[in-house]
Amino acid sequence: MGATPLAWTLAVSLIVALLLFDYFFHVRKEHIPTLRESAIWSALYVGIAIAFGFLVWIFGGTQMGVEYFAGYLTEKALSVDNLFVFLLLLTSFKVPRAGQQKALLFGIVFSIFARTGFIFVGAALLNAFSALFYVFGLFLIITAGRLLAEDDEGDDADNVVVRLAKKFIPATDHYDHDKLFTIENGKKVMTPMMIVMVAIGGTDIMFALDSIPAIFGLTQNVFIVFTATTFSLLGLRQLYFLLDGLLDRLVYLKYGLAAILGFIGVKLILHALHENNLPFINQGENVDVVEVPTYLSLGVIITVLVVTVVASLVSPAGKALTVLGNLKRHSHEYLNKNFTDDPVERAKLWAKILQNEDKLKSIDRKYFGSEGDVWELEQLLRRVWDDHARYERATDYTR
């Protein structure tokens, strides 16, 4: 069952209002979100998404309600995976801590536009060519295999879109707070903040290619696909700061996502066989196969996510990689003079470095990686200690 024009109007109005509120009351004024602020707003956005789901359940029926929550959970899990790439981009471009909010909000807005376009194009293609379910199913299974084959979650910060932007628009290597353009040598030039937004926008297109086929494997209701996808993206900025320090610990997340994408891929192929009209398969007739009901899909998704998160948080590998990942990231942040010039924030960073260095003593050496990795970590920490000593001397001199 589709949604009424009133439902579409109310849903879109709510989404636009939340984005505008987020910008004018949080992002417009450059600041570093506290853990408490991030936790409150993350919980609020999740609460709004859940409340919306119950409204869908009440007014749209059980089937639509189950489809919404299955789609929302899947897209939310994929959006958390996207945070890893955002983290790498923000780190590689050395984005100041206080300016990261604007870059993330742009990424979220661009994601909504990109996914909306893919949703309506995908829905039109599926209505016209039911055989496309085979393509979506195979694509998700291949994506699941690619996730398992990858050693690291990485992304090239200097991608094609970024190189084109640098080529045609004059740019500087220096940040001017969170401004997109600044004046340098009397000329208006693009700051690295604009480059970051271009990079995030470029990667968002790739994210959409994975996520949209996944949710179409759970429902073909365009209203459910749009709202579940969009609400999973709202609050992603706050979630980024809330999960700061925990992202590196979700070491088994890619395996959970691979299992979910593979499961949905199989579900899509079964649905394609059931609706088959390809002449070279069963002479163009429907194939009598078992279709996976949506409520079972919801159960599988919840189970996989719970097992994945718990295994990541309690495993020795998860704990070790958390310490190593946080220590490296905080060290690079401390050495990055653009990251923050606030003495309080620098003191917090230094405290985190000392805390993780202390935890490092209890980690089994097998989690350190190769001898080359150990040497790089030692050199990084030596640079951090030297930089801290210089900072302390300069601070004492100015007092």
Side-chain angles (χ1 to χ4, degrees):
M1 184 179 72
T4 64
L6 177 60
W8 274 101
T9 302
L10 292 175
V12 172
S13 299
L14 175 60
I15 290 165
V16 171
L18 288 172
L19 288 171
L20 290 174
F21 178 84
D22 202 14
Y23 175 76
F24 285 105
F25 290 91
H26 292 101
V27 176
R28 192 179 186 183
K29 183 180 180 181
E30 186 184 51
H31 74 286
I32 301 173
T34 64
L35 186 64
R36 182 175 180 273
E37 175 188 340
S38 300
I40 291 173
W41 287 104
S42 292
L44 181 63
Y45 276 105
V46 171
I48 291 172
I50 292 173
F52 184 85
F54 280 119
L55 289 175
V56 170
W57 198 308
I58 293 169
F59 292 101
T62 302
Q63 180 67 20
M64 283 185 67
V66 172
E67 288 177 354
Y68 171 85
F69 282 110
Y72 174 76
L73 284 174
T74 300
E75 294 298 308
K76 197 68 175 178
L78 289 169
S79 69
V80 171
D81 188 49
N82 296 347
L83 289 181
F84 285 95
V85 182
F86 287 161
L87 177 62
L88 288 170
L89 286 172
L90 295 174
T91 301
S92 62
F93 281 109
K94 298 180 179 178
V95 180
R97 182 71 163 170
Q100 291 180 358
Q101 290 199 99
K102 180 174 284 188
L104 288 168
L105 183 61
F106 170 83
I108 292 167
V109 173
F110 190 92
S111 292
I112 291 173
F113 280 110
R115 282 162 170 75
T116 300
F118 276 106
I119 287 168
F120 285 101
V121 170
L125 289 174
L126 287 172
N127 286 331
F129 311 102
S130 60
L132 198 61
F133 283 111
Y134 287 112
V135 178
F136 277 13
L138 288 172
F139 178 77
L140 290 179
I141 292 173
I142 292 171
T143 302
R146 193 183 71 229
L147 277 174
L148 294 176
E150 287 177 351
D151 293 327
D152 301 296
E153 293 288 341
D155 195 77
D156 181 8
D158 195 24
N159 58 36
V160 176
V161 180
V162 172
R163 289 197 293 270
L164 286 174
K166 287 180 177 178
K167 183 177 180 179
F168 293 105
I169 305 176
T172 178
D173 294 329
H174 306 292
Y175 285 94
D176 186 3
H177 297 283
D178 62 353
K179 294 180 181 178
L180 306 183
F181 292 90
T182 188
I183 303 298
E184 187 174 78
N185 299 325
K187 295 181 178 180
K188 189 174 184 179
V189 294
M190 181 172 59
T191 69
M193 183 62 71
M194 174 63 87
I195 298 292
V196 174
M197 291 185 174
V198 172
I200 290 177
T203 55
D204 276 336
I205 296 175
M206 299 306 298
F207 294 156
L209 289 175
D210 285 345
S211 68
I212 299 308
I215 193 168
F216 269 121
L218 298 168
T219 177
Q220 286 81 61
N221 187 315
V222 177
F223 179 76
I224 297 299
V225 172
F226 171 76
T227 53
T229 300
T230 304
F231 279 111
S232 72
L233 293 170
L234 294 177
L236 199 60
R237 176 185 64 78
Q238 292 85 348
L239 189 62
Y240 173 87
F241 290 98
L242 179 62
L243 293 182
D244 183 27
L246 289 178
L247 283 174
D248 297 312
R249 191 164 178 175
L250 298 176
V251 292
Y252 298 124
L253 179 63
K254 71 174 183 178
Y255 299 106
L257 290 176
I260 291 172
L261 292 178
F263 169 77
I264 297 174
V266 172
K267 183 178 185 295
L268 268 173
I269 290 177
L270 289 174
H271 178 73
L273 288 169
H274 190 268
E275 302 292 328
N276 178 64
N277 56 13
L278 294 178
F280 53 85
I281 297 179
N282 197 34
Q283 297 180 341
E285 299 295 329
N286 296 347
V287 181
D288 187 16
V289 294
V290 176
E291 286 207 81
V292 182
T294 307
Y295 69 82
L296 180 59
S297 300
L298 178 59
V300 170
I301 292 166
I302 292 174
T303 302
V304 170
L305 288 177
V306 170
V307 171
T308 298
V309 172
V310 172
S312 296
L313 296 179
V314 302
S315 69
K319 294 177 181 178
L321 291 175
T322 299
V323 174
L324 288 168
N326 287 342
L327 183 57
K328 291 176 184 177
R329 184 154 55 87
H330 294 320
S331 296
H332 285 299
E333 290 170 348
Y334 193 84
L335 293 171
N336 175 18
K337 303 308 177 187
N338 283 325
F339 186 74
T340 179
D341 55 3
D342 185 349
V344 176
E345 287 299 318
R346 286 189 65 86
K348 288 180 181 178
L349 268 178
W350 180 244
K352 290 177 181 178
I353 291 170
L354 294 179
Q355 183 182 39
N356 283 286
E357 271 195 313
D358 187 57
K359 291 179 180 179
L360 200 65
K361 300 172 184 176
S362 61
I363 292 179
D364 193 317
R365 193 173 179 82
K366 68 181 181 181
Y367 296 115
F368 280 45
S370 65
E371 290 298 324
D373 294 331
V374 174
W375 182 83
E376 287 182 5
L377 179 61
E378 290 173 348
Q379 294 302 308
L380 176 62
L381 293 177
R382 185 173 290 115
R383 288 169 54 205
V384 170
W385 276 90
D386 290 345
D387 187 81
H388 180 70
R390 287 192 295 270
Y391 177 75
E392 287 292 295
R393 287 195 296 269
T395 304
D396 290 339
Y397 178 77
T398 56
R399 284 172 180 169

